[in-house]
Amino acid sequence: MEAPALAKPQEHPKLIVSIGPHMHDQETTAKIMWTVSGALLPAALMSVYFFGMPAVMVILVSLAASLASEAAVQWMLKKPVTLSDGSAFLTGLLLAMNLPSNAPLYIPAVGSFVAIVITKHLFGGLGYNIFNPALIGRAFVLISFPKLMTTYVAPASQFMAVDAKTTATPLVLLKEEGMAKLLEIFHTKAALYQDLFLGNRAGSLGETSVIALLLGAAFLMMKRYITWHVPVPFIATVGLLAWMFGGKEGLLSGDAIFHMMSGGLILGAFFMATDYVTGPSVRAAQVVFGVGCGALTVLIRLKGGYPEGVMFAILLMNCFAPLLDRGMKSRVFGKAEAKGVKK
Amino acid sequence: MFEKVLTIFIASALINNFVFSRYLGLCIFFGVTKRMETAVGMSFTFTAVMLIGAALNWVIYEYVMIPLHLGFLKIVIFIGVVAAFVQAADTIMKKVTPALYYKLGIYLALIVTNCIILAVPLINADEHYGLFESMALAVGSGLGFSLALIIMASIREKLELADVPISFRGLPISFVLTGLIALAFLGFSGMITL
Amino acid sequence: MSDSVNYGTIVKNGIFGENPVFRLALSLCPAVAVTSGVKNGFLMGVAVLFVMTMVNGTVSLLRNYINPKVRIPSYMFIIATWVTVTDQVMAATQRAVYKDMGLYIMLIVAFAIVLSRAEMFASRNKLLPSMVDGAAMGLGFLLALVLLGVFREFLGKGSLWGYPILGQKPLLIMILPTGGFFAMGLMMGWLNWLDRKFFGGTGASSGGH
Amino acid sequence: MKEMLKITLSLVLIFIGAGLIMGVTYKYTSPLRFKAEKREKEEALKQMAPDATDPIVAAGKWTTHGKNFEYYTATASAKPVAYISSTAGKGYSSYIQMLVSVDTDLKIRDVKILGHAETPGLGDQVEEKSFIDQFKGKSLPDIKLIKGETKENIQAISGATISSRAVTNGVKDAVQTLVEKYGAGVKTAAQGVRK
């Protein structure tokens, strides 16, 4: 009973054993982190264009709190302080992209602290976290400040918009009042799609502009920092299932295009579900991971209490990632046995 | 009727998951998830015992305790029924399928005084569920518990290699991890109203 | 033997050295389940304190009459009896609290800590030391629950024992299950850190069930 | 054999002793529990119609969502002053249990939330006075949930539409029932006034 559960005498291990993907050195990690942050820049700029000064403040506070938390916790744990590797910066930026522009500024601060300290460093720091830090930060503040986190403002396109009008996101409108209400606001389907594509709608900072996110994603794919294995099955599953079950008039009447462009799907699929550390590393497992994310997203959007399911879907699949890796790796050996058992 | 059974099943497996939202079975949850094999063995045994225990206790509660106004003895009686049944299962398994006994027998001993085995009939009695509803709750809770055990075991394998701060190694980090999983499971909330 | 029993050691052991929740990590379920408020945590602690004292007392009294072969079933039966008594009394007198945590009161019967103290201490000691041991363990349990309850209720509801203090709810998550797990993990980690830093302990929780 | 007998005897003695303890506790606590339950119910009903001088008695049963509810007549010196009904609405994650009372002209007098398990911070806002007070004085056709400003109907709490709807529907079901049960009498009374 007195034996420690995890005996780990080495405090400063000389030999680091880690689970793949193996990042070869600090420089590569830093390069990836800063490139991904750069790829988010168009979307961040679009959010500033649409939501103005409040968006700038949310981004700045989120970044500052992330970097400060990282530095503080690394100093306390007597580890080298690694602000320059960009990982805390990226977490802060991703968190900001997941917050509404009108969130009071303590929300990004609390979210960053939870993301960096609890989700990342308690679990051993960069490369060991089980969950996507930015998403845990987001989920934590969503549950803690439910009212503030579900109030969105309409895009104003003015830099100092003070009295921005609060309004519901398209997904909330669809869930609570149906497609007819959405068309009443956006007039035609074409106009609705166009606004979704450009980002002229209420929502979290980085959820809004599909085109800006796709630009960044295309850049990352070109650089081979991310592959199709997670995002494409993710988005395709959402589209397919939304089309099949999303309509009021029965099967196959749902609006797939609307579902694929709204909420945090594009941001989540390309920038968060593709995380090396919290997703599976086996290719086949990545496809399953993507499909699972998509299915859970649609399940939550259509049946759940929350209007948007991308965040919870990715977090839930994060839980399953180690299991998927484990199952898919030993597939070759497991096949015959599994068949034998069935018969 | 069928709809209610299905609702109870899904709700008890995901939304009111014993571990993540009812906080039951934590000792076992933290105790057996250090190794995947143990976790899987425990899952099977638990689900089976929960189902049979719930059915037995339902019959006794409905046909003996209620008519005799012995509801207040339910704690004693439920625990007695489960203990007797587990003892019987232990003996029968040893004789009939020794191979299975060597795999699962060790878990059986742990089960008698476990809160989730006992919680199922207590909840059933409290909610006045029918036989099928009681069994749906048992199977749903059992599968939900299995899911929790297997997820936790697979994550803890990954965590073995992580450089967790010394003060947090072992149970504290497992608690924080469970909190994070429970946070993710909140995504299921609101799907079903009980 | 009764002269050599050091009650101080027994009490200290129950509260610090072998605190059921933080040190032995036994019977964790209610520690998370009922501590969304100080009052619930306190009453749960009182219930456990009562059950443990009475069980240890009964087992100690009967220790020469219980046949070792049927000792575990006998202990279980004694525990179930005292839990039933507690459950009945709580249901009749603490109505509002019982609505929230009736299930967990009944589940005291499955607490490993109760059985293990009966087996390890009460079956070998005289009446008074056994009851003191049960009470000390229960007190350790109660203090742990109150500590967690204060932490969670203050952060989650901005109140203590139901009395508003902050006038707002700073972190709602703390009264939800996820918050309970966080609170428990962070509290254990913090106590381990204190132990290592100031008391020269190993700072590792043993774990078990 | 002798040992067997001894074991059985000791077990039986423990059983008898334990049975006695439990039985005695049950004997003394169950009336207390029963009384407390009854008193709680009476007090809740009394709050719904403070001007009732006679004990409020159940007048009948009705069902919705597959659950049973009761309605009551509150009287003062044998004259009805209010009608009360228990009810529930299907909320976000739980059934919201309520009591609703109406005046003799079937306008809502008070609504009281008895219990629920809605999300802290969102759904539990239905307990707030500002929301509940909207129901007071409304009659059946006005009990309708509106998103946005309204004086005539019930304004939904933003971000807690499902819970708001649950309360509104639960109240509506209860008032509907009360109108069905007592409406005829009220109508004749109103006609009497007109003549």
Side-chain angles (χ1 to χ4, degrees), chain A:
Chain A
M1 211 170 246
E2 53 282 348
L6 275 174
K8 275 235 176 76
Q10 79 278 26
E11 209 166 324
H12 300 288
K14 282 181 190 130
L15 195 70
I16 297 170
V17 190
S18 76
I19 300 177
H22 297 280
M23 291 166 187
H24 296 291
D25 50 54
Q26 199 70 23
E27 206 181 20
T28 351
T29 313
K31 206 171 153 198
I32 294 173
M33 295 293 172
W34 289 114
T35 313
V36 177
S37 304
L40 275 170
L41 204 63
L45 288 177
M46 282 302 263
S47 73
V48 171
Y49 170 75
F50 281 121
F51 298 110
M53 202 56 197
V56 178
M57 290 311 290
V58 167
I59 295 176
L60 284 182
V61 171
S62 191
L63 289 176
S66 278
L67 292 170
S69 304
E70 174 105 344
V73 80
Q74 284 180 332
W75 176 74
M76 274 179 69
L77 291 173
K78 303 192 178 72
K79 286 181 175 180
V81 175
T82 54
L83 292 186
S84 59
D85 73 2
S87 92
F89 185 90
L90 179 60
T91 301
L93 188 58
L94 276 172
L95 176 70
M97 300 304 267
N98 277 293
L99 298 174
S101 62
N102 52 320
L105 295 175
Y106 56 82
I107 288 187
V110 171
S112 297
F113 177 82
V114 171
I116 298 285
V117 177
I118 294 184
T119 323
K120 200 166 94 181
H121 283 291
L122 276 193
F123 287 86
L126 182 63
Y128 295 108
N129 45 306
I130 310 296
F131 292 92
N132 188 310
L135 283 178
I136 288 286
R138 161 91 196 313
F140 189 95
V141 292
L142 172 70
I143 307 297
S144 294
F145 313 107
K147 229 168 144 181
L148 296 167
M149 286 292 293
T150 46
T151 324
Y152 291 92
V153 293
S157 311
Q158 304 150 358
F159 205 66
M160 293 300 285
V162 198
D163 50 349
K165 197 170 157 274
T166 58
T167 179
T169 64
L171 272 173
V172 173
L173 286 172
L174 180 74
K175 185 156 197 159
E176 292 187 350
E177 302 183 48
M179 190 48 109
K181 178 81 181 178
L182 265 178
L183 289 180
E184 196 182 295
I185 294 172
F186 288 89
H187 306 298
T188 61
K189 276 234 161 144
L192 171 63
Y193 292 156
Q194 193 194 331
D195 279 346
L196 287 176
F197 194 62
L198 292 176
N200 188 18
R201 50 149 162 167
S204 300
L205 296 184
E207 284 181 356
T208 46
S209 181
V210 172
I211 176 144
L213 290 166
L214 285 178
L215 268 176
F219 174 68
L220 288 181
M221 281 187 134
M222 227 168 59
K223 284 257 175 191
R224 297 188 177 275
Y225 283 166
I226 59 175
T227 59
W228 63 270
H229 297 83
V230 173
V232 173
F234 189 168
I235 297 170
T237 309
V238 170
L240 183 70
L241 292 178
W243 175 59
M244 284 167 72
F245 302 109
K248 286 265 183 301
E249 292 89 45
L251 278 182
L252 308 185
S253 65
D255 191 334
I257 301 174
F258 172 82
H259 271 284
M260 292 198 300
M261 290 204 298
S262 50
L265 180 58
I266 304 291
L267 178 70
F270 285 105
F271 291 91
M272 290 185 290
T274 49
D275 183 13
Y276 300 123
V277 181
T278 56
S281 46
V282 179
R283 287 285 181 230
Q286 287 178 344
V287 176
V288 178
F289 183 86
V291 172
C293 285
L296 285 169
T297 301
V298 175
L299 181 71
I300 295 171
R301 278 188 187 176
L302 299 183
K303 293 275 169 212
Y306 292 99
E308 169 59 316
V310 170
M311 173 187 77
F312 284 118
I314 299 176
L315 287 176
L316 282 166
M317 289 312 287
N318 282 165
C319 303
F320 288 98
L323 199 64
L324 283 177
D325 257 348
R326 193 192 152 98
M328 300 300 224
K329 251 181 210 157
S330 57
R331 217 180 169 186
V332 188
F333 308 104
K335 242 179 190 168
E337 204 181 84
K339 265 185 192 161
V341 169
K342 255 180 205 165
K343 282 168 188 172

Side-chain angles (χ1 to χ4, degrees), chain B residues 152-165:
Chain B
M152 189 67 176
S154 71
I155 296 180
R156 278 178 88 168
E157 271 180 355
K158 189 177 166 182
L159 210 58
E160 287 269 295
L161 302 168
D163 179 27
V164 174

Side-chain angles (χ1 to χ4, degrees), chain C residues 8-97:
Chain C
T9 320
I10 296 178
V11 173
K12 215 178 120 196
N13 193 34
I15 297 174
F16 300 105
E18 291 185 21
N19 185 293
V21 177
F22 291 124
R23 306 303 294 167
L24 299 184
L26 284 167
S27 318
L28 299 165
C29 311
V32 190
V34 303
T35 51
S36 60
V38 183
K39 191 178 178 192
N40 287 12
F42 176 77
L43 286 170
M44 184 78 195
V46 170
V48 172
L49 184 114
F50 174 75
V51 169
M52 288 195 73
T53 312
M54 296 315 278
V55 166
N56 266 10
T58 317
V59 167
S60 172
L61 268 184
L62 299 177
R63 70 184 185 281
N64 295 325
Y65 304 98
I66 294 174
N67 192 299
K69 281 187 185 157
V70 290
R71 126 187 140 263
I72 299 294
S74 310
Y75 295 164
M76 287 306 301
F77 199 78
I78 293 168
I79 296 170
T81 306
W82 287 114
V83 171
T84 304
V85 169
T86 315
D87 178 68
Q88 295 293 328
V89 173
M90 290 287 252
T93 56
Q94 299 290 337
R95 307 270 311 142
V97 173

Side-chain angles (χ1 to χ4, degrees), chain C:
Chain C
M1 184 177 166
S2 61
D3 292 333
S4 63
V5 171
N6 187 341
Y7 292 106
T9 320
I10 296 178
V11 173
K12 215 178 120 196
N13 193 34
I15 297 174
F16 300 105
E18 291 185 21
N19 185 293
V21 177
F22 291 124
R23 306 303 294 167
L24 299 184
L26 284 167
S27 318
L28 299 165
C29 311
V32 190
V34 303
T35 51
S36 60
V38 183
K39 191 178 178 192
N40 287 12
F42 176 77
L43 286 170
M44 184 78 195
V46 170
V48 172
L49 184 114
F50 174 75
V51 169
M52 288 195 73
T53 312
M54 296 315 278
V55 166
N56 266 10
T58 317
V59 167
S60 172
L61 268 184
L62 299 177
R63 70 184 185 281
N64 295 325
Y65 304 98
I66 294 174
N67 192 299
K69 281 187 185 157
V70 290
R71 126 187 140 263
I72 299 294
S74 310
Y75 295 164
M76 287 306 301
F77 199 78
I78 293 168
I79 296 170
T81 306
W82 287 114
V83 171
T84 304
V85 169
T86 315
D87 178 68
Q88 295 293 328
V89 173
M90 290 287 252
T93 56
Q94 299 290 337
R95 307 270 311 142
V97 173
Y98 190 78
K99 253 183 216 161
D100 286 345
M101 52 185 228
L103 181 65
Y104 298 97
I105 301 264
M106 291 192 256
L107 289 177
I108 295 177
V109 76
F111 278 16
I113 184 72
V114 186
L115 186 62
S116 82
R117 283 332 277 187
E119 163 87 3
M120 278 160 52
F121 197 96
S123 64
R124 293 170 204 163
N125 287 286
K126 289 194 171 171
L127 179 63
L128 198 60
S130 295
M131 288 183 85
V132 171
D133 177 75
M137 280 285 159
L139 197 64
F141 194 83
L142 187 145
L143 287 178
L145 291 198
V146 169
L147 191 63
L148 274 167
V150 167
F151 184 67
R152 289 180 67 192
E153 189 179 343
F154 188 71
L155 283 180
K157 292 186 204 152
S159 61
L160 286 176
W161 197 277
Y163 295 108
I165 290 184
L166 293 181
Q168 51 169 340
K169 299 170 180 175
L171 278 177
L172 272 174
I173 195 170
M174 292 316 289
I175 54 170
L176 295 175
T178 61
F181 289 117
F182 286 145
M184 188 78 191
L186 296 179
M187 192 78 88
M188 275 179 154
W190 179 64
L191 289 175
N192 283 347
W193 179 80
L194 282 183
D195 189 38
R196 265 188 327 120
K197 193 97 181 164
F198 300 108
F199 302 100
T202 53
S205 22
S206 43
H209 44 127

